[in-house]
Amino acid sequence: MSAVRRERNDDGSRAGRPAGPRVRRALTAALLVGGGLLGVAASPSPSPSGGAEAPTEAGTAFRTATPVQLGQEATADASTGDYLYWVLPLDSGQRATVRASVTLPAAAGRHSASTWQLDVYDGLRRRQPCMYGTQTGTAAKDAATVDLSCTLRPVRSGADQWANDPLPGAYYLRLTVTDLAPEDLGQPVRARVRAQAQDVGGAYAADNALAVPLVPAAGTASGIAPADGWSGTWWSDRWLWTAAGGLLAALAGIGGYRLTRGAGRPGRVPPTA
C-alpha cells in the first residue's frame, strides 16, 4: 500500500511540476516566428531602376508619352507652356510617389510668377488623386526651380466598376504650367521626373483581379511593363498574416490550457473518493 501511495505521489509531483517556463519558451518561439513572417510581408521592396538608359525627352500627348521605369530619372528640355507626358507601369500592391522638378529661365527674362502642376492618370485616363504631396506649386518671379510631388493611393488588384480605385497598368504623368504671364510663354525650361514605389503588401489586396493590366493597345505605352513583369497571381502576403495569426492563436490556446488545467488529483486523495 505504501508503494502504491509512493508511486501516486511521484506521479502527482510530476503532474504538478510548473509548466510556466516551457509555455513561455513556446510562446516566445511563436512570437519570433510570427514576427519574422510579418516582417517579411511588410518590408518594402526596392524599386527597380531598370538597365535601360533614362529617357531625355518627353511626349506631348497621351499617345506619345515617353516610357519610363520606376527609379529612373527622366529629363526633358521644353518650352514654357508645353504639355510634357511620361508613362510608367505600376503593379498591384505598389504605392508610387512621383517627384518633378522644373528649372526655370533666368529671372531677368521673366515677367511674373508661374504656377506648375503635376497630374497622374491611369490606363483608362482617369485622373488619380494624390494622398499627399505638393501637386501644384507657384514659383516666384525670381525663383530658380519649382518642385512638385504626388503620392498615389496603393494600386489594387481589382475593384468595382463604379469605383475610381487605381488598378494595375500604365500610369501617365503630365507636367505643365497652368498660370503664366503671356509674355513668358515659349521660354526654355528643363524638367526632371522620377517615380518610386513601395510595396504595401496584402493590406490593400482585393479578392478579385483584372484579367490583364490596363495598358493601351496603341501608342508608346502599348508594350510597357514592370522590369520584373506583371504579378498576375493569386498570391498575397495576407496568407502569411493568416498563417502567423493561426499559429499564434493555436499556441496561445495550448499555453492557456497548460496554465489552467491544474496539477490533477492530489496524491493524498484515494482513487475512490
Side-chain angles (χ1 to χ4, degrees), residues 74-142:
T75 58
D77 293 323
S79 299
T80 307
D82 290 344
Y83 284 85
L84 306 180
Y85 287 84
W86 295 268
V87 59
L88 69 143
L90 289 180
D91 208 348
S92 58
Q94 291 182 327
R95 180 170 58 193
T97 298
V98 183
R99 292 182 173 85
S101 179
V102 182
T103 303
L104 303 173
R110 305 207 308 264
H111 297 79
S112 67
S114 58
T115 301
W116 294 78
Q117 183 166 317
L118 176 65
D119 296 311
V120 183
Y121 299 84
D122 64 3
L124 299 177
R125 299 187 185 180
R126 302 176 302 181
R127 186 175 181 271
Q128 292 294 318
C130 301
M131 294 179 60
Y132 48 85
T134 307
Q135 189 176 3
T136 302
T138 300
K141 179 179 179 297
D142 57 348

Short mmCIF file of all heavy atoms in Angstrom, two decimals, residues 74-142:
data_model
loop_
_atom_site.label_atom_id
_atom_site.label_comp_id
_atom_site.label_asym_id
_atom_site.label_seq_id
_atom_site.Cartn_x
_atom_site.Cartn_y
_atom_site.Cartn_z
N ALA A 74 13.85 60.78 -65.49
CA ALA A 74 13.65 61.24 -66.86
C ALA A 74 13.82 62.76 -66.91
O ALA A 74 13.38 63.47 -66.01
CB ALA A 74 12.26 60.86 -67.34
N THR A 75 14.47 63.22 -67.95
CA THR A 75 14.69 64.66 -68.15
C THR A 75 14.15 65.07 -69.51
O THR A 75 13.98 64.24 -70.41
CB THR A 75 16.18 65.00 -68.05
OG1 THR A 75 16.90 64.24 -69.05
CG2 THR A 75 16.73 64.66 -66.67
N ALA A 76 13.88 66.34 -69.65
CA ALA A 76 13.37 66.86 -70.92
C ALA A 76 13.61 68.36 -70.98
O ALA A 76 13.38 69.07 -69.98
CB ALA A 76 11.89 66.55 -71.08
N ASP A 77 14.07 68.82 -72.12
CA ASP A 77 14.17 70.25 -72.41
C ASP A 77 12.94 70.65 -73.20
O ASP A 77 12.62 70.05 -74.22
CB ASP A 77 15.44 70.56 -73.20
CG ASP A 77 16.70 70.31 -72.38
OD1 ASP A 77 16.68 70.60 -71.17
OD2 ASP A 77 17.70 69.82 -72.95
N ALA A 78 12.25 71.67 -72.73
CA ALA A 78 10.99 72.07 -73.35
C ALA A 78 10.84 73.59 -73.28
O ALA A 78 11.74 74.30 -72.81
CB ALA A 78 9.81 71.38 -72.67
N SER A 79 9.70 74.04 -73.74
CA SER A 79 9.36 75.46 -73.69
C SER A 79 8.21 75.67 -72.71
O SER A 79 7.34 74.80 -72.56
CB SER A 79 8.95 75.97 -75.09
OG SER A 79 10.02 75.82 -76.01
N THR A 80 8.22 76.80 -72.07
CA THR A 80 7.15 77.11 -71.12
C THR A 80 5.82 77.14 -71.86
O THR A 80 5.66 77.82 -72.86
CB THR A 80 7.42 78.46 -70.46
OG1 THR A 80 8.73 78.47 -69.90
CG2 THR A 80 6.40 78.74 -69.38
N GLY A 81 4.86 76.38 -71.35
CA GLY A 81 3.56 76.26 -71.98
C GLY A 81 3.35 74.91 -72.63
O GLY A 81 2.20 74.56 -72.96
N ASP A 82 4.41 74.12 -72.82
CA ASP A 82 4.27 72.78 -73.39
C ASP A 82 3.65 71.83 -72.36
O ASP A 82 3.84 71.98 -71.15
CB ASP A 82 5.62 72.23 -73.83
CG ASP A 82 6.17 72.95 -75.04
OD1 ASP A 82 5.40 73.67 -75.71
OD2 ASP A 82 7.39 72.82 -75.29
N TYR A 83 2.95 70.82 -72.86
CA TYR A 83 2.47 69.71 -72.04
C TYR A 83 3.47 68.57 -72.17
O TYR A 83 3.73 68.10 -73.29
CB TYR A 83 1.09 69.26 -72.48
CG TYR A 83 -0.03 70.19 -72.05
CD1 TYR A 83 -0.36 71.31 -72.81
CD2 TYR A 83 -0.74 69.94 -70.88
CE1 TYR A 83 -1.38 72.16 -72.41
CE2 TYR A 83 -1.76 70.77 -70.48
CZ TYR A 83 -2.08 71.89 -71.24
OH TYR A 83 -3.08 72.73 -70.83
N LEU A 84 4.03 68.14 -71.05
CA LEU A 84 5.03 67.07 -71.05
C LEU A 84 4.40 65.81 -70.48
O LEU A 84 3.80 65.84 -69.39
CB LEU A 84 6.24 67.48 -70.22
CG LEU A 84 6.89 68.83 -70.61
CD1 LEU A 84 8.07 69.13 -69.71
CD2 LEU A 84 7.30 68.83 -72.08
N TYR A 85 4.58 64.68 -71.20
CA TYR A 85 3.95 63.42 -70.81
C TYR A 85 5.01 62.33 -70.68
O TYR A 85 5.89 62.19 -71.54
CB TYR A 85 2.92 62.97 -71.85
CG TYR A 85 1.63 63.77 -71.85
CD1 TYR A 85 1.55 64.97 -72.54
CD2 TYR A 85 0.51 63.31 -71.18
CE1 TYR A 85 0.37 65.70 -72.55
CE2 TYR A 85 -0.68 64.03 -71.18
CZ TYR A 85 -0.74 65.22 -71.86
OH TYR A 85 -1.90 65.94 -71.87
N TRP A 86 4.89 61.56 -69.59
CA TRP A 86 5.64 60.32 -69.41
C TRP A 86 4.65 59.23 -69.01
O TRP A 86 3.54 59.52 -68.54
CB TRP A 86 6.69 60.45 -68.31
CG TRP A 86 7.79 61.42 -68.61
CD1 TRP A 86 8.98 61.15 -69.21
CD2 TRP A 86 7.82 62.82 -68.30
NE1 TRP A 86 9.76 62.28 -69.30
CE2 TRP A 86 9.05 63.33 -68.75
CE3 TRP A 86 6.92 63.70 -67.70
CZ2 TRP A 86 9.42 64.66 -68.61
CZ3 TRP A 86 7.27 65.03 -67.56
CH2 TRP A 86 8.51 65.50 -68.01
N VAL A 87 5.04 57.97 -69.18
CA VAL A 87 4.17 56.86 -68.80
C VAL A 87 5.03 55.80 -68.13
O VAL A 87 6.16 55.52 -68.57
CB VAL A 87 3.43 56.28 -70.03
CG1 VAL A 87 4.40 55.78 -71.09
CG2 VAL A 87 2.46 55.19 -69.60
N LEU A 88 4.52 55.22 -67.05
CA LEU A 88 5.24 54.19 -66.32
C LEU A 88 4.28 53.09 -65.90
O LEU A 88 3.07 53.33 -65.78
CB LEU A 88 5.94 54.76 -65.09
CG LEU A 88 5.04 55.23 -63.94
CD1 LEU A 88 5.66 54.92 -62.60
CD2 LEU A 88 4.80 56.72 -64.05
N PRO A 89 4.76 51.86 -65.67
CA PRO A 89 3.89 50.77 -65.22
C PRO A 89 3.86 50.68 -63.69
O PRO A 89 4.89 50.79 -63.03
CB PRO A 89 4.56 49.53 -65.83
CG PRO A 89 6.02 49.89 -65.85
CD PRO A 89 6.11 51.38 -66.03
N LEU A 90 2.66 50.44 -63.14
CA LEU A 90 2.50 50.20 -61.72
C LEU A 90 1.71 48.91 -61.54
O LEU A 90 0.68 48.71 -62.19
CB LEU A 90 1.77 51.37 -61.04
CG LEU A 90 2.56 52.67 -60.90
CD1 LEU A 90 1.72 53.73 -60.20
CD2 LEU A 90 3.86 52.43 -60.13
N ASP A 91 2.18 48.07 -60.63
CA ASP A 91 1.56 46.77 -60.40
C ASP A 91 0.77 46.80 -59.09
O ASP A 91 0.88 47.74 -58.29
CB ASP A 91 2.63 45.68 -60.34
CG ASP A 91 2.09 44.33 -60.79
OD1 ASP A 91 0.86 44.20 -60.92
OD2 ASP A 91 2.91 43.41 -61.00
N SER A 92 -0.05 45.78 -58.88
CA SER A 92 -0.88 45.71 -57.68
C SER A 92 0.00 45.65 -56.44
O SER A 92 1.05 45.01 -56.43
CB SER A 92 -1.80 44.49 -57.75
OG SER A 92 -1.03 43.31 -57.89
N GLY A 93 -0.44 46.33 -55.39
CA GLY A 93 0.29 46.37 -54.14
C GLY A 93 1.35 47.45 -54.06
O GLY A 93 2.01 47.58 -53.03
N GLN A 94 1.51 48.26 -55.10
CA GLN A 94 2.52 49.32 -55.11
C GLN A 94 1.88 50.67 -54.81
O GLN A 94 0.80 50.98 -55.31
CB GLN A 94 3.25 49.38 -56.44
CG GLN A 94 4.16 48.19 -56.70
CD GLN A 94 4.91 48.32 -58.02
OE1 GLN A 94 4.41 48.89 -58.99
NE2 GLN A 94 6.11 47.78 -58.08
N ARG A 95 2.55 51.45 -54.01
CA ARG A 95 2.15 52.83 -53.76
C ARG A 95 3.28 53.73 -54.27
O ARG A 95 4.37 53.75 -53.72
CB ARG A 95 1.90 53.09 -52.27
CG ARG A 95 1.48 54.52 -51.97
CD ARG A 95 1.01 54.67 -50.54
NE ARG A 95 2.03 54.27 -49.59
CZ ARG A 95 1.79 54.06 -48.31
NH1 ARG A 95 0.57 54.18 -47.84
NH2 ARG A 95 2.78 53.71 -47.49
N ALA A 96 2.99 54.47 -55.32
CA ALA A 96 4.02 55.23 -56.03
C ALA A 96 4.05 56.67 -55.55
O ALA A 96 3.03 57.26 -55.20
CB ALA A 96 3.76 55.20 -57.54
N THR A 97 5.24 57.22 -55.55
CA THR A 97 5.47 58.64 -55.29
C THR A 97 6.21 59.22 -56.48
O THR A 97 7.30 58.74 -56.84
CB THR A 97 6.28 58.84 -54.01
OG1 THR A 97 5.55 58.33 -52.89
CG2 THR A 97 6.56 60.32 -53.78
N VAL A 98 5.63 60.24 -57.08
CA VAL A 98 6.21 60.89 -58.26
C VAL A 98 6.70 62.26 -57.85
O VAL A 98 5.97 63.03 -57.19
CB VAL A 98 5.17 61.01 -59.39
CG1 VAL A 98 5.81 61.62 -60.63
CG2 VAL A 98 4.58 59.65 -59.71
N ARG A 99 7.92 62.57 -58.23
CA ARG A 99 8.51 63.88 -57.93
C ARG A 99 8.96 64.52 -59.24
O ARG A 99 9.54 63.85 -60.10
CB ARG A 99 9.68 63.76 -56.97
CG ARG A 99 9.28 63.33 -55.57
CD ARG A 99 10.48 63.26 -54.64
NE ARG A 99 10.07 63.00 -53.26
CZ ARG A 99 9.86 61.80 -52.75
NH1 ARG A 99 10.04 60.72 -53.54
NH2 ARG A 99 9.48 61.65 -51.51
N ALA A 100 8.68 65.80 -59.36
CA ALA A 100 9.06 66.56 -60.55
C ALA A 100 9.73 67.86 -60.12
O ALA A 100 9.35 68.46 -59.11
CB ALA A 100 7.84 66.86 -61.42
N SER A 101 10.72 68.26 -60.89
CA SER A 101 11.43 69.50 -60.64
C SER A 101 11.61 70.23 -61.96
O SER A 101 12.02 69.62 -62.96
CB SER A 101 12.79 69.23 -59.98
OG SER A 101 13.50 70.43 -59.76
N VAL A 102 11.30 71.51 -61.97
CA VAL A 102 11.39 72.32 -63.18
C VAL A 102 12.41 73.42 -62.94
O VAL A 102 12.29 74.21 -61.99
CB VAL A 102 10.03 72.93 -63.56
CG1 VAL A 102 10.15 73.73 -64.86
CG2 VAL A 102 8.98 71.83 -63.71
N THR A 103 13.43 73.46 -63.78
CA THR A 103 14.41 74.55 -63.76
C THR A 103 13.91 75.68 -64.65
O THR A 103 13.73 75.51 -65.86
CB THR A 103 15.78 74.05 -64.23
OG1 THR A 103 16.20 72.95 -63.42
CG2 THR A 103 16.82 75.16 -64.14
N LEU A 104 13.67 76.82 -64.03
CA LEU A 104 13.02 77.95 -64.73
C LEU A 104 14.05 78.81 -65.45
O LEU A 104 15.26 78.75 -65.16
CB LEU A 104 12.25 78.79 -63.71
CG LEU A 104 11.20 78.02 -62.91
CD1 LEU A 104 10.62 78.90 -61.81
CD2 LEU A 104 10.09 77.52 -63.83
N PRO A 105 13.60 79.63 -66.39
CA PRO A 105 14.51 80.55 -67.09
C PRO A 105 15.10 81.58 -66.13
O PRO A 105 14.69 81.70 -64.97
CB PRO A 105 13.62 81.20 -68.14
CG PRO A 105 12.43 80.30 -68.26
CD PRO A 105 12.24 79.68 -66.93
N ALA A 106 16.03 82.32 -66.60
CA ALA A 106 16.65 83.36 -65.78
C ALA A 106 15.60 84.37 -65.34
O ALA A 106 14.68 84.72 -66.10
CB ALA A 106 17.76 84.06 -66.57
N ALA A 107 15.73 84.82 -64.11
CA ALA A 107 14.73 85.74 -63.55
C ALA A 107 14.66 87.05 -64.32
O ALA A 107 13.60 87.69 -64.38
CB ALA A 107 15.04 86.01 -62.08
N ALA A 108 15.78 87.47 -64.94
CA ALA A 108 15.79 88.75 -65.65
C ALA A 108 14.86 88.74 -66.86
O ALA A 108 14.35 89.78 -67.28
CB ALA A 108 17.21 89.10 -66.09
N GLY A 109 14.61 87.55 -67.43
CA GLY A 109 13.76 87.49 -68.61
C GLY A 109 12.31 87.15 -68.34
O GLY A 109 11.53 87.02 -69.27
N ARG A 110 11.94 86.98 -67.05
CA ARG A 110 10.57 86.64 -66.71
C ARG A 110 9.81 87.88 -66.24
O ARG A 110 10.38 88.82 -65.69
CB ARG A 110 10.54 85.56 -65.62
CG ARG A 110 11.34 84.32 -66.00
CD ARG A 110 10.85 83.07 -65.33
NE ARG A 110 10.73 83.17 -63.90
CZ ARG A 110 11.67 82.76 -63.04
NH1 ARG A 110 12.81 82.27 -63.50
NH2 ARG A 110 11.47 82.85 -61.75
N HIS A 111 8.48 87.83 -66.46
CA HIS A 111 7.64 88.99 -66.16
C HIS A 111 6.74 88.78 -64.95
O HIS A 111 6.21 89.76 -64.42
CB HIS A 111 6.77 89.34 -67.38
CG HIS A 111 7.55 89.73 -68.59
ND1 HIS A 111 8.15 88.82 -69.43
CD2 HIS A 111 7.85 90.96 -69.11
CE1 HIS A 111 8.77 89.42 -70.41
NE2 HIS A 111 8.61 90.74 -70.25
N SER A 112 6.54 87.53 -64.53
CA SER A 112 5.63 87.28 -63.40
C SER A 112 5.93 85.91 -62.81
O SER A 112 6.77 85.15 -63.31
CB SER A 112 4.17 87.34 -63.87
OG SER A 112 3.89 86.25 -64.74
N ALA A 113 5.23 85.61 -61.74
CA ALA A 113 5.31 84.27 -61.15
C ALA A 113 4.62 83.26 -62.06
O ALA A 113 3.85 83.63 -62.96
CB ALA A 113 4.67 84.27 -59.76
N SER A 114 4.91 81.99 -61.83
CA SER A 114 4.32 80.92 -62.65
C SER A 114 3.84 79.80 -61.74
O SER A 114 4.46 79.51 -60.71
CB SER A 114 5.33 80.38 -63.67
OG SER A 114 6.49 79.89 -63.02
N THR A 115 2.74 79.16 -62.14
CA THR A 115 2.17 78.05 -61.39
C THR A 115 2.26 76.79 -62.23
O THR A 115 1.80 76.77 -63.38
CB THR A 115 0.70 78.34 -61.03
OG1 THR A 115 0.64 79.53 -60.24
CG2 THR A 115 0.12 77.18 -60.22
N TRP A 116 2.85 75.74 -61.64
CA TRP A 116 3.04 74.48 -62.34
C TRP A 116 2.23 73.39 -61.66
O TRP A 116 1.95 73.46 -60.46
CB TRP A 116 4.52 74.10 -62.34
CG TRP A 116 5.36 75.05 -63.14
CD1 TRP A 116 5.79 76.29 -62.74
CD2 TRP A 116 5.85 74.87 -64.46
NE1 TRP A 116 6.52 76.89 -63.73
CE2 TRP A 116 6.57 76.03 -64.80
CE3 TRP A 116 5.76 73.84 -65.39
CZ2 TRP A 116 7.20 76.19 -66.03
CZ3 TRP A 116 6.38 73.99 -66.61
CH2 TRP A 116 7.08 75.14 -66.93
N GLN A 117 1.85 72.38 -62.44
CA GLN A 117 1.00 71.31 -61.91
C GLN A 117 1.45 69.96 -62.46
O GLN A 117 1.79 69.84 -63.64
CB GLN A 117 -0.46 71.56 -62.27
CG GLN A 117 -1.43 70.54 -61.70
CD GLN A 117 -2.87 70.99 -61.80
OE1 GLN A 117 -3.19 72.14 -61.52
NE2 GLN A 117 -3.74 70.08 -62.21
N LEU A 118 1.42 68.96 -61.56
CA LEU A 118 1.76 67.57 -61.91
C LEU A 118 0.50 66.73 -61.76
O LEU A 118 -0.05 66.62 -60.66
CB LEU A 118 2.87 67.05 -61.00
CG LEU A 118 3.28 65.59 -61.16
CD1 LEU A 118 3.90 65.34 -62.54
CD2 LEU A 118 4.25 65.18 -60.05
N ASP A 119 0.04 66.13 -62.84
CA ASP A 119 -1.16 65.29 -62.84
C ASP A 119 -0.77 63.85 -63.18
O ASP A 119 0.17 63.61 -63.95
CB ASP A 119 -2.18 65.78 -63.87
CG ASP A 119 -2.71 67.16 -63.53
OD1 ASP A 119 -3.10 67.38 -62.37
OD2 ASP A 119 -2.73 68.04 -64.42
N VAL A 120 -1.53 62.91 -62.61
CA VAL A 120 -1.31 61.49 -62.85
C VAL A 120 -2.62 60.87 -63.32
O VAL A 120 -3.67 61.08 -62.69
CB VAL A 120 -0.80 60.76 -61.59
CG1 VAL A 120 -0.52 59.29 -61.90
CG2 VAL A 120 0.46 61.43 -61.06
N TYR A 121 -2.56 60.11 -64.41
CA TYR A 121 -3.74 59.43 -64.99
C TYR A 121 -3.43 57.94 -65.08
O TYR A 121 -2.30 57.55 -65.34
CB TYR A 121 -4.06 59.98 -66.39
CG TYR A 121 -4.41 61.45 -66.41
CD1 TYR A 121 -3.41 62.42 -66.46
CD2 TYR A 121 -5.73 61.88 -66.40
CE1 TYR A 121 -3.72 63.77 -66.49
CE2 TYR A 121 -6.06 63.23 -66.42
CZ TYR A 121 -5.04 64.16 -66.47
OH TYR A 121 -5.36 65.51 -66.49
N ASP A 122 -4.48 57.13 -64.91
CA ASP A 122 -4.29 55.69 -65.01
C ASP A 122 -4.46 55.23 -66.46
O ASP A 122 -4.58 56.05 -67.37
CB ASP A 122 -5.23 54.95 -64.07
CG ASP A 122 -6.70 55.15 -64.44
OD1 ASP A 122 -6.99 55.81 -65.46
OD2 ASP A 122 -7.56 54.64 -63.70
N GLY A 123 -4.46 53.91 -66.66
CA GLY A 123 -4.55 53.38 -68.02
C GLY A 123 -5.85 53.71 -68.73
O GLY A 123 -5.91 53.66 -69.96
N LEU A 124 -6.92 54.03 -67.96
CA LEU A 124 -8.18 54.47 -68.55
C LEU A 124 -8.25 55.98 -68.69
O LEU A 124 -9.31 56.52 -69.00
CB LEU A 124 -9.35 53.97 -67.70
CG LEU A 124 -9.48 52.45 -67.56
CD1 LEU A 124 -10.63 52.10 -66.63
CD2 LEU A 124 -9.64 51.79 -68.91
N ARG A 125 -7.13 56.65 -68.43
CA ARG A 125 -7.02 58.12 -68.49
C ARG A 125 -7.95 58.81 -67.49
O ARG A 125 -8.47 59.88 -67.73
CB ARG A 125 -7.27 58.62 -69.91
CG ARG A 125 -6.28 58.09 -70.93
CD ARG A 125 -6.45 58.71 -72.28
NE ARG A 125 -5.56 58.08 -73.26
CZ ARG A 125 -5.50 58.44 -74.55
NH1 ARG A 125 -6.28 59.41 -74.99
NH2 ARG A 125 -4.68 57.82 -75.37
N ARG A 126 -8.10 58.15 -66.35
CA ARG A 126 -8.82 58.77 -65.25
C ARG A 126 -7.80 59.47 -64.35
O ARG A 126 -6.81 58.87 -63.95
CB ARG A 126 -9.60 57.72 -64.45
CG ARG A 126 -10.60 56.93 -65.26
CD ARG A 126 -11.26 55.85 -64.40
NE ARG A 126 -10.26 54.93 -63.82
CZ ARG A 126 -10.57 53.91 -63.05
NH1 ARG A 126 -11.84 53.66 -62.73
NH2 ARG A 126 -9.63 53.11 -62.57
N ARG A 127 -8.07 60.70 -64.04
CA ARG A 127 -7.14 61.45 -63.19
C ARG A 127 -7.18 60.88 -61.78
O ARG A 127 -8.24 60.74 -61.18
CB ARG A 127 -7.51 62.93 -63.17
CG ARG A 127 -6.51 63.81 -62.42
CD ARG A 127 -6.90 65.27 -62.55
NE ARG A 127 -5.95 66.12 -61.86
CZ ARG A 127 -6.05 66.46 -60.58
NH1 ARG A 127 -7.07 66.00 -59.85
NH2 ARG A 127 -5.16 67.24 -60.02
N GLN A 128 -6.00 60.53 -61.26
CA GLN A 128 -5.90 59.92 -59.95
C GLN A 128 -5.54 60.98 -58.90
O GLN A 128 -4.60 61.76 -59.10
CB GLN A 128 -4.84 58.82 -59.95
CG GLN A 128 -5.21 57.61 -60.78
CD GLN A 128 -6.42 56.87 -60.21
OE1 GLN A 128 -6.54 56.68 -59.00
NE2 GLN A 128 -7.31 56.46 -61.09
N PRO A 129 -6.27 61.02 -57.79
CA PRO A 129 -5.94 62.00 -56.74
C PRO A 129 -4.69 61.60 -55.99
O PRO A 129 -4.30 60.42 -55.96
CB PRO A 129 -7.18 61.96 -55.84
CG PRO A 129 -7.73 60.58 -56.03
CD PRO A 129 -7.45 60.19 -57.45
N CYS A 130 -4.07 62.57 -55.37
CA CYS A 130 -2.87 62.33 -54.58
C CYS A 130 -3.25 62.19 -53.11
O CYS A 130 -4.09 62.94 -52.60
CB CYS A 130 -1.88 63.48 -54.74
SG CYS A 130 -1.34 63.77 -56.44
N MET A 131 -2.65 61.20 -52.44
CA MET A 131 -2.85 61.07 -51.00
C MET A 131 -2.24 62.25 -50.26
O MET A 131 -2.84 62.81 -49.35
CB MET A 131 -2.24 59.77 -50.50
CG MET A 131 -2.90 58.51 -51.01
SD MET A 131 -2.07 57.01 -50.39
CE MET A 131 -2.25 57.22 -48.62
N TYR A 132 -1.06 62.63 -50.66
CA TYR A 132 -0.40 63.81 -50.11
C TYR A 132 0.70 64.22 -51.06
O TYR A 132 1.09 63.49 -51.97
CB TYR A 132 0.14 63.57 -48.69
CG TYR A 132 0.94 62.30 -48.53
CD1 TYR A 132 2.30 62.26 -48.83
CD2 TYR A 132 0.33 61.14 -48.07
CE1 TYR A 132 3.02 61.10 -48.67
CE2 TYR A 132 1.06 59.98 -47.89
CZ TYR A 132 2.40 59.96 -48.21
OH TYR A 132 3.12 58.81 -48.05
N GLY A 133 1.23 65.41 -50.83
CA GLY A 133 2.25 65.95 -51.71
C GLY A 133 1.85 67.31 -52.24
O GLY A 133 0.71 67.75 -52.09
N THR A 134 2.80 67.98 -52.85
CA THR A 134 2.58 69.29 -53.45
C THR A 134 2.36 69.09 -54.94
O THR A 134 3.31 69.09 -55.72
CB THR A 134 3.77 70.23 -53.19
OG1 THR A 134 4.03 70.28 -51.78
CG2 THR A 134 3.47 71.64 -53.69
N GLN A 135 1.10 68.91 -55.32
CA GLN A 135 0.78 68.65 -56.72
C GLN A 135 0.82 69.92 -57.56
O GLN A 135 1.12 69.87 -58.75
CB GLN A 135 -0.61 68.01 -56.81
CG GLN A 135 -0.97 67.50 -58.18
CD GLN A 135 -2.32 66.80 -58.18
OE1 GLN A 135 -3.01 66.76 -57.16
NE2 GLN A 135 -2.69 66.25 -59.31
N THR A 136 0.53 71.06 -56.96
CA THR A 136 0.57 72.35 -57.65
C THR A 136 1.47 73.28 -56.87
O THR A 136 1.34 73.39 -55.64
CB THR A 136 -0.84 72.94 -57.75
OG1 THR A 136 -1.68 72.02 -58.46
CG2 THR A 136 -0.81 74.26 -58.51
N GLY A 137 2.38 73.93 -57.57
CA GLY A 137 3.31 74.85 -56.92
C GLY A 137 3.48 76.12 -57.70
O GLY A 137 3.47 76.12 -58.94
N THR A 138 3.63 77.22 -56.98
CA THR A 138 3.82 78.53 -57.60
C THR A 138 5.24 78.99 -57.35
O THR A 138 5.71 79.00 -56.20
CB THR A 138 2.82 79.55 -57.02
OG1 THR A 138 1.49 79.10 -57.28
CG2 THR A 138 3.03 80.92 -57.67
N ALA A 139 5.91 79.34 -58.42
CA ALA A 139 7.28 79.83 -58.34
C ALA A 139 7.26 81.35 -58.47
O ALA A 139 6.62 81.91 -59.37
CB ALA A 139 8.12 79.22 -59.45
N ALA A 140 7.96 82.01 -57.57
CA ALA A 140 8.06 83.46 -57.63
C ALA A 140 8.82 83.89 -58.88
O ALA A 140 9.47 83.09 -59.55
CB ALA A 140 8.73 83.98 -56.37
N LYS A 141 8.75 85.17 -59.16
CA LYS A 141 9.38 85.68 -60.38
C LYS A 141 10.89 85.46 -60.39
O LYS A 141 11.49 85.23 -61.44
CB LYS A 141 9.07 87.18 -60.52
CG LYS A 141 9.68 87.84 -61.74
CD LYS A 141 9.32 89.30 -61.80
CE LYS A 141 9.97 89.97 -63.02
NZ LYS A 141 11.44 89.95 -62.94
N ASP A 142 11.50 85.47 -59.20
CA ASP A 142 12.95 85.29 -59.13
C ASP A 142 13.35 83.89 -58.70
O ASP A 142 14.53 83.64 -58.41
CB ASP A 142 13.54 86.32 -58.17
CG ASP A 142 12.92 86.22 -56.78
OD1 ASP A 142 11.89 85.53 -56.65
OD2 ASP A 142 13.45 86.84 -55.85
#
